[in-house]
Amino acid sequence: MRSFLSAVSAVLIVLVAILTPLCALAVWADREIGDTDGYVAAMAPLASDPAVQNAVAVRITDEVMQKIDVGPFDVGPFDVRPFQEGVRGLLYEAVMSFSGTDSYKTAWNTVNGAAHTAVEQALTSDSGDSVSIDLTPVIEQVKQQLSADGLRFADQIPVGRTRITILDSDKLGVAREIFDGLQIAGAWLPIATLMVAAAAVLLAVRRGRALIGLGIALAVGGVLLRIAVTLGHGLALDDLPADVDRPAASAVYDALTAKLRTTAWWVLASGLALAAAAWPAQRRGRPERGSSAPAPRLDVTAKDGPFRR
């Protein structure tokens, strides 16, 4: 019976190692990706990310240059391309300059709040394999700034829907299935994992040793979570189309998974701390369980009494 309970406890400890990263992913899917405020908070730091700022500025500049008339074009044999490139550079610099302001950060949070709906739809329905951000609020702010600076073609800047793609993958179908499962498990999986951990300790014959095993299982779970985040980065970026800015897409992935990486290190440290704390107790408790020390010998030699010689 004791060996059976030890075996069950060992299996449950291994199960904790497997469930730990799934718990973290489930909570992340529910409270960050599945919640608008959590999503916007995760994306907010990207307003100051150079790669994202560059991608936004390039996308807006390209879109505006296609739709405005910077003229004059009736210049005979002269090449107008240097003039056009000068306007392009001016517009790009204007957007980059605006990206360092509080108004840009506010506009960035606005577009991500709206984009969260698209992210949810992409991860929960078959509406497509692409997720993009509508930059219209940013363009509006840039147009106002350029108009205030007296730039003569600023009034021609179109304030239409200009989008930048942050995810475009033919593997999104797999992501939908995983995300859907994580959201369903988000409510009960952490509780179930705690119950499994408690059962592993309560059923153990040597509970000190079980606590050490549980700590190691948590540490392994933290390592598995970190590996999963790293592998996900590769899967998300490997098949991006050529027109998607890879540094910006990488920054978006890193921002969305920042809490997962932090959680992985905390779980690893907590597991190692638990194992280290349980080790002395297990060492002290060892003689109390199955000690092999010889039993004390009773001296029954009579020194007094009627049989003394």
Side-chain angles (χ1 to χ4, degrees), residues 20 24 218-227 229 257-271:
T20 296
L218 288 174
V220 171
V223 173
L224 292 176
L225 177 60
R226 189 65 182 87
I227 292 174
V229 173
T257 58
K259 287 187 178 179
L260 284 178
R261 294 194 301 274
T262 302
T263 299
W265 292 118
W266 273 108
V267 171
L268 173 61
S270 299

Side-chain angles (χ1 to χ4, degrees), residues 102-306:
D102 291 337
S103 297
Y104 175 81
K105 295 177 181 178
T106 300
W108 177 254
N109 289 338
T110 300
V111 301
N112 279 291
H116 178 253
T117 302
V119 172
E120 279 195 308
Q121 289 178 349
L123 291 175
T124 58
S125 66
D126 296 328
S127 58
D129 296 333
S130 179
V131 177
S132 59
I133 297 176
D134 185 2
L135 298 175
T136 300
V138 179
I139 297 177
E140 289 177 345
Q141 295 289 336
V142 171
K143 182 176 182 178
Q144 292 177 12
Q145 178 177 317
L146 293 178
S147 298
D149 292 342
L151 200 63
R152 69 177 183 83
F153 63 82
D155 59 338
Q156 299 181 33
I157 295 178
V159 188
R161 297 186 66 183
T162 300
R163 311 188 73 87
I164 182 172
T165 301
I166 60 174
L167 176 62
D168 192 340
S169 173
D170 57 5
K171 300 175 183 177
L172 205 55
V174 177
R176 289 189 187 107
E177 296 178 3
I178 296 175
F179 184 79
D180 186 53
L182 289 174
Q183 278 201 313
I184 293 174
W188 58 265
L189 188 56
I191 297 175
T193 303
L194 288 175
M195 294 176 64
V196 170
V201 175
L202 293 175
L203 293 176
V205 176
R206 296 183 176 179
R207 292 180 180 174
R209 183 174 296 181
L211 285 172
I212 295 175
L214 186 60
I216 295 175
L218 288 174
V220 171
V223 173
L224 292 176
L225 177 60
R226 189 65 182 87
I227 292 174
V229 173
T230 301
L231 292 177
H233 184 278
L235 291 175
L237 300 183
D238 281 348
D239 60 343
L240 286 176
D243 60 340
V244 176
D245 189 290
R246 292 184 65 87
S250 178
V252 170
Y253 181 88
D254 289 342
L256 290 177
T257 58
K259 287 187 178 179
L260 284 178
R261 294 194 301 274
T262 302
T263 299
W265 292 118
W266 273 108
V267 171
L268 173 61
S270 299
L272 294 177
L274 175 60
W279 177 259
Q282 190 269 344
R283 295 284 295 179
R284 288 194 302 267
R286 182 175 297 176
E288 299 176 5
R289 297 181 179 273
S291 176
S292 58
R297 188 179 64 178
L298 298 177
D299 187 359
V300 296
T301 304
K303 295 183 179 180
D304 293 308

Side-chain angles (χ1 to χ4, degrees), residues 63-71 73 87 91 153-158:
E63 186 70 16
V64 171
M65 290 300 295
Q66 292 177 8
K67 296 181 179 179
I68 66 172
D69 180 10
V70 298
F73 292 105
V87 173
L91 183 59
F153 63 82
D155 59 338
Q156 299 181 33
I157 295 178

Side-chain angles (χ1 to χ4, degrees), residues 85-108:
E85 289 304 314
V87 173
R88 175 184 292 275
L90 181 64
L91 183 59
Y92 173 84
E93 290 299 328
V95 179
M96 288 297 291
S97 176
F98 172 65
S99 65
T101 65
D102 291 337
S103 297
Y104 175 81
K105 295 177 181 178
T106 300
W108 177 254

Side-chain angles (χ1 to χ4, degrees), residues 46-59:
L46 292 177
S48 303
D49 185 273
V52 175
Q53 290 177 341
N54 177 72
V56 170
V58 169
R59 183 70 186 92

